[in-house]
Amino acid sequence: MKNGAVLTVNDLRVYYDTPAGTVKAVDGVSFDLRPGERLGLVGESGSGKSTMALALMRMHKPPARIAGGEVLLDGVGDVMELDDEGLRRIRLDRLALVPQGAMNSLNPVMRIRDQLADGIRTHEPGDDRDALTARIRAQLARVGLDADVGGKFPHELSGGMKQRVAIAIGTSLSPSVIIADEPTSALDVVVQRQVMETLRSVQEEIGASVLIVGHDMGLMAQIADRMGVMYAGKLVELAPVHDLFTNPQHPYTRLLIESVPTLMAKRALASIPGAPPTLINVPPGCPFHPRCPRAFEPCDSEVPLPMSQNGRVVSCHLYPEEAA
Amino acid sequence: MTAFLEMTNVSKVFSAGIIRRQHTVAVDDVTMTIDEESPSILAVAGESGSGKTTLARLLLGVIPPSSGEVIYRGQSVDDLSRAQRRTYLREIQPIFQDPFESYNPFYKVDHVLTVPAKKFQLSESKQETTRLIEEALDMVGLQPAETLGRFPHQLSGGQRQRVMVARAMLLRPRLIVADEPVSMVDASLRATILESIRRMKQELGISVVYITHDLTTAYQIADNILVMYKGSVVEAGSVEQVIRDPQHPYTQLLVSSIPQPDPSLPWGAEAEIAGDPESMAVAATGCKFVERCPVAFDPCRGQRPPLYHEHPSRAAACFRYNDSPELEGENLDLVFEPQLTSQAASGSEDPAAN
Ligand SMILES: Nc1ncnc2c1ncn2[C@@H]1O[C@H](COP(=O)(O)OP(=O)(O)OP(=O)(O)O)[C@@H](O)[C@H]1O
Ligand SMILES: Nc1ncnc2c1ncn2[C@@H]1O[C@H](COP(=O)(O)OP(=O)(O)OP(=O)(O)O)[C@@H](O)[C@H]1O
Ligand code: SF4
Ligand SMILES: [Mg+2]
Ligand SMILES: [Mg+2]
């Protein structure tokens, strides 16, 4: 596969057809996921992150449709072209998703151990009970849960514990790509760190790459190798994590980072002026231009194309000429 | 001071398991007051599974306490008349942790806004109701035209969460109990929503219980904070004291684990996280944190540490402070800002006069 990426996304478009119009939730996103890397994906709420996470696995549901682009999985080909059988085989085994709000997708009337067993059995039929029990135990331990959690029902667990169960299910077949949508937003910082350490160790053990969607900029700074920033269905910036935080190039990235509060001084929380865009009527030109403090002449008419330089990709008319 | 909502020695015990019954003390002996005249924002932080949501459900009257009382305007929530219960349900509005569970998938999102608007007769006319709804959506950065008329699954996680915040705002309650209301929105929107919550306190005198894992925003918007560990309050006081200068070893671990938005800073001081925090058995006696505590000493295994009033606006349940006086009646009001008179703070016999 080109440049050794595990997953290459080219110009992916995912649209929702609604009576009010077409919601362009993912509109021409390209990036690649490198072997063993942790790629963080942040951005505006409603900018298309979860839609993309689902679409990468073809798990999007109508009225969502793939309106274009390809998702090349190393050794498999274009995921967008696979038939049902092909999809069934790669899911969980090659590409695993821990969906947003995963803890709510647990079956309420099934014990945790049976839910874990389900995923394992569909891919590895056979009925060595002891081996299965040991697998489940190990899987729970991987996410820092006691074996007796296996005997419980979801409602007996706290939100955080359920989220960890979901992560255990997602990683049970050692996939090569793990897509985690807000995997720790329900956890306290101590457990967050533990889960992230776990994800890191599972990843190192099996050599997986991880795409982590999230809003916690602190967490992203600590865990990601590279970071992508989405705004209105577009990937507006993609850069090594250090560069992104110390020297953000896209005005949206810059303002987003500025709105992260700290423990240093108590002050009014800063937010980006203006309203989030509607994805049915995306502003022409750069979708950020109505809120951008640096917008200039071409911004309201010409769509800025992704420009690549020094391992960074930015979609802004200011880049790279006026790189700060 | 007029006590709006009080908890007096409230505990909640859950029992699970059919053959071997296991008891989880989800909330262990909490005493505090939410005052009517001096509205405040109280952050509730702590481990996953430490009882934060249970505390919220107790305040909301969704579940009854196993012992102790939740008192609304001078009367136990258990004994409210129908009419009183109705105002209670209107005056305390929840924002549930889980924006997915709060919706009925078969109704459009409008439903969660129009039904309570009707039920509590917010306005005279339909147009007025619509205007109020649009205003509330606006406050959380949602475009009414793009939000109304949609089904819950057609909104993103953060959009759903914001509709719930708008709903709580719409009803102009006296108290909002918000369980992780902004965990799924971006930093900028988080700021917008929290600022509007703060404005509600300042302009409309609405108190807020803000349950969160995000200690940074807790520090920014809350007046006070209560830190829970396995059902117990391990530290409480003003955010300035507790977050900037934590005393309990668990709070110290928590604050040092906050991931900093700077990749060149390490994540957390302690490298090792001992044991399996969530499912670790709690010793029958002694400090609940003792197995993980780096500074435990002899007394820690003997008894439960009481809350020590070691700073005028802070108390910590840790034997390292046993030369300080115990917090009188374990009453958290004594360390919360604004400090109420001691007479009022302990006076639950003064039935809230209306
Ligand atoms: N079934 C649907 N029908 C129509 N529009 C939808 C549907 N699902 C999502 N959308 C819209 O698509 C856009 C992208 O949603 P998505 O869930 O991907 O956002 P997100 O970036 O994950 O947001 P968040 O950070 O809040 O989770 C949103 O504007 C949302 O309203
Ligand atoms: N209905 C129930 N039956 C049995 N146990 C319960 C029930 N509800 C909660 N618990 C237990 O009570 C404890 C506290 O749970 P709670 O949901 O209040 O925690 P939390 O602090 O809100 O956690 P999180 O941060 O993960 O949301 C947990 O050990 C949980 O397993
Ligand atoms: S009481 Fe003892 S074990 Fe508990 S936190 Fe304090 S020092 Fe640690
Ligand atoms: Mg999402
Ligand atoms: Mg909770």
Side-chain angles (χ1 to χ4, degrees):
Chain A
M1 169 148 305
K2 130 185 150 192
N3 65 26
V6 187
L7 194 73
T8 303
V9 178
N10 282 328
D11 200 30
L12 184 66
R13 287 163 203 274
V14 190
Y15 296 169
Y16 293 96
D17 293 314
T18 74
T22 303
V23 179
K24 298 183 175 175
V26 178
D27 200 19
V29 170
S30 304
F31 67 93
D32 47 44
L33 192 60
R34 300 169 184 167
E37 86 166 328
R38 289 181 296 272
L39 178 62
L41 190 64
V42 299
E44 184 101 337
S45 167
S47 61
K49 302 179 298 296
S50 297
T51 303
M52 182 166 78
L54 286 169
L56 291 178
M57 300 195 60
R58 291 257 306 278
M59 283 171 73
H60 61 282
K61 296 196 185 82
R65 66 181 159 92
I66 307 291
E70 53 182 17
V71 175
L72 305 172
L73 178 63
D74 184 28
V76 172
D78 188 355
V79 177
M80 301 299 114
E81 300 288 318
L82 291 178
D83 59 16
D84 288 352
E85 175 56 22
L87 277 176
R88 200 190 61 80
R89 249 183 291 120
I90 62 155
R91 284 188 196 145
L92 223 58
D93 205 352
R94 294 293 318 276
L95 269 179
L97 176 74
V98 180
Q100 183 169 16
M103 58 192 200
N104 307 301
S105 55
L106 296 176
N107 184 334
V109 296
M110 211 170 153
R111 284 180 206 280
I112 300 302
R113 62 165 167 264
D114 298 326
Q115 310 203 29
L116 267 161
D118 254 13
I120 298 172
R121 274 208 216 93
T122 21
H123 280 261
E124 297 168 14
D127 42 18
D128 184 343
R129 282 196 65 87
D130 291 349
L132 190 64
T133 306
R135 271 289 280 284
I136 290 168
R137 190 179 280 264
Q139 209 47 45
L140 287 170
R142 242 186 201 177
V143 293
L145 292 173
D146 249 15
D148 68 354
V149 171
K152 297 197 173 180
F153 291 99
H155 76 269
E156 295 175 82
L157 306 178
S158 76
M161 293 163 90
K162 282 189 276 188
Q163 191 67 14
R164 289 157 80 187
V165 169
I167 293 169
I169 294 173
T171 56
S172 61
L173 292 174
S174 307
S176 50
V177 175
I178 304 167
I179 300 169
D181 196 354
E182 309 209 20
T184 61
S185 58
L187 306 177
D188 68 77
V189 286
V190 178
V191 179
Q192 253 182 28
R193 197 163 112 206
Q194 196 189 38
V195 170
M196 283 303 174
E197 293 301 340
T198 313
L199 202 61
R200 208 194 300 242
S201 74
V202 175
Q203 167 197 23
E204 275 162 15
E205 200 181 308
I206 63 185
S209 309
V210 191
L211 177 68
I212 309 164
V213 178
H215 285 300
D216 187 330
M217 299 295 274
L219 184 99
M220 287 294 176
Q222 297 299 330
I223 192 82
D225 302 312
R226 285 194 303 156
M227 257 174 75
V229 181
M230 281 189 75
Y231 188 85
K234 298 212 158 35
L235 190 65
V236 296
E237 183 157 3
L238 180 66
V241 68
H242 196 270
D243 300 354
L244 192 99
F245 276 94
T246 54
N247 189 17
Q249 290 297 317
H250 196 286
Y252 172 67
T253 313
R254 199 170 302 180
L255 289 169
L256 182 67
I257 289 172
E258 279 170 14
S259 64
V260 177
T262 69
L263 284 180
M264 303 313 271
K266 211 166 166 161
R267 56 184 164 90
L269 297 167
S271 54
I272 305 174
T278 93
L279 296 188
I280 292 181
N281 272 313
V282 184
C286 170
F288 190 56
H289 87 260
R291 303 170 77 188
C292 182
R294 302 188 61 191
F296 62 116
E297 177 257 310
C299 300
D300 63 2
S301 53
E302 286 166 44
V303 178
L305 298 173
M307 301 297 281
S308 178
Q309 185 168 305
N310 301 331
R312 186 199 296 255
V313 185
V314 182
S315 303
C316 168
H317 289 301
L318 288 168
Y319 191 80
E321 291 83 357
E322 286 188 35
Chain B
M1 136 162 184
T2 314
F4 172 69
L5 196 64
E6 294 164 88
M7 290 187 127
T8 54
N9 305 97
V10 168
S11 297
K12 181 71 192 179
V13 182
F14 289 111
S15 306
I18 295 154
I19 299 155
R20 238 177 350 129
R21 279 194 94 65
Q22 293 172 316
H23 300 284
T24 307
V25 184
V27 168
D28 197 353
D29 195 13
V30 175
T31 298
M32 65 172 183
T33 309
I34 287 154
D35 185 52
E36 167 106 74
E37 277 147 28
S38 40
S40 67
I41 300 183
L42 169 66
V44 178
E47 256 201 328
S48 307
S50 61
K52 302 180 299 296
T53 297
T54 305
L55 186 78
R57 293 167 70 206
L58 288 163
L59 286 171
L60 291 162
V62 178
I63 49 171
S66 308
S67 61
E69 268 187 316
V70 179
I71 300 167
Y72 165 66
R73 295 190 181 282
Q75 185 143 5
S76 171
V77 165
D78 287 342
D79 314 327
L80 298 178
S81 68
R82 271 181 77 101
Q84 282 169 322
R85 187 154 180 92
R86 200 181 147 85
T87 33
Y88 167 72
L89 290 179
R90 148 112 198 245
E91 290 198 316
I92 306 180
Q93 283 303 318
I95 301 173
F96 288 113
Q97 174 165 18
D98 176 0
F100 298 84
E101 265 172 20
S102 318
Y103 292 96
N104 182 330
F106 301 109
Y107 287 112
K108 292 182 176 162
V109 291
D110 312 33
H111 199 73
V112 302
L113 299 166
T114 52
V115 168
K118 244 181 246 144
K119 180 166 155 207
F120 297 117
Q121 290 152 0
L122 284 193
S123 63
E124 307 279 284
S125 67
K126 229 180 142 176
Q127 290 95 310
E128 177 65 2
T129 306
T130 309
R131 197 189 59 77
L132 289 172
I133 289 175
E134 292 185 350
E135 186 184 275
L137 288 172
D138 212 50
M139 277 170 97
V140 297
L142 288 173
Q143 315 242 2
E146 255 208 46
T147 311
L148 299 173
R150 291 224 198 165
F151 287 98
H153 70 270
Q154 297 175 321
L155 298 177
S156 78
Q159 288 166 337
R160 259 181 292 212
Q161 224 170 17
R162 280 140 66 197
V163 172
M164 293 321 287
V165 177
R167 175 188 187 276
M169 291 180 165
L170 174 72
L171 296 176
R172 296 285 146 87
R174 303 308 308 156
L175 171 69
I176 291 181
V177 179
D179 197 352
E180 299 278 2
V182 290
S183 59
M184 292 186 196
V185 306
D186 61 82
S188 166
L189 260 170
R190 201 174 280 190
T192 308
I193 295 172
L194 293 174
E195 277 305 320
S196 46
I197 288 180
R198 175 160 46 201
R199 272 209 316 276
M200 294 179 68
K201 179 195 103 174
Q202 273 156 358
E203 292 163 19
L204 306 170
I206 298 172
S207 288
V208 182
V209 172
Y210 172 45
I211 298 175
T212 186
H213 286 305
D214 183 352
L215 293 168
T216 316
T217 56
Y219 175 67
Q220 295 295 343
I221 75 155
D223 304 293
N224 301 303
I225 182 166
L226 172 167
V227 181
M228 295 184 73
Y229 186 78
K230 299 211 182 294
S232 294
V233 175
V234 293
E235 187 158 357
S238 72
V239 286
E240 209 60 55
Q241 292 309 322
V242 174
I243 298 181
R244 293 293 285 267
D245 190 16
Q247 298 300 309
H248 193 284
Y250 175 66
T251 321
Q252 289 169 346
L253 172 66
L254 202 59
V255 172
S256 72
S257 301
I258 300 173
Q260 297 300 317
D262 179 348
S264 57
L265 293 176
W267 190 355
E270 283 100 323
E272 171 57 6
I273 306 156
D276 169 5
E278 281 188 38
S279 46
M280 199 141 51
V282 180
T285 57
C287 173
K288 293 178 179 177
F289 192 59
V290 67
E291 299 301 333
R292 296 169 73 190
C293 183
V295 293
F297 60 124
D298 275 353
C300 306
R301 294 192 183 271
Q303 287 178 321
R304 283 271 139 85
L307 281 162
Y308 291 105
H309 200 169
E310 44 72 44
H311 180 281
S313 349
R314 187 180 56 216
C318 168
F319 283 119
R320 290 195 304 161
Y321 308 100
N322 62 8
D323 49 357
S324 302
E326 293 183 18
L327 185 68
E328 208 188 313
E330 304 256 301
N331 185 343
L332 303 178
D333 303 341
L334 297 172
V335 292
F336 286 161
E337 313 272 358
Q339 302 254 318
L340 309 165
T341 64
S342 54
Q343 181 235 336
S346 57
S348 58
E349 64 245 18
D350 158 37
N354 251 1

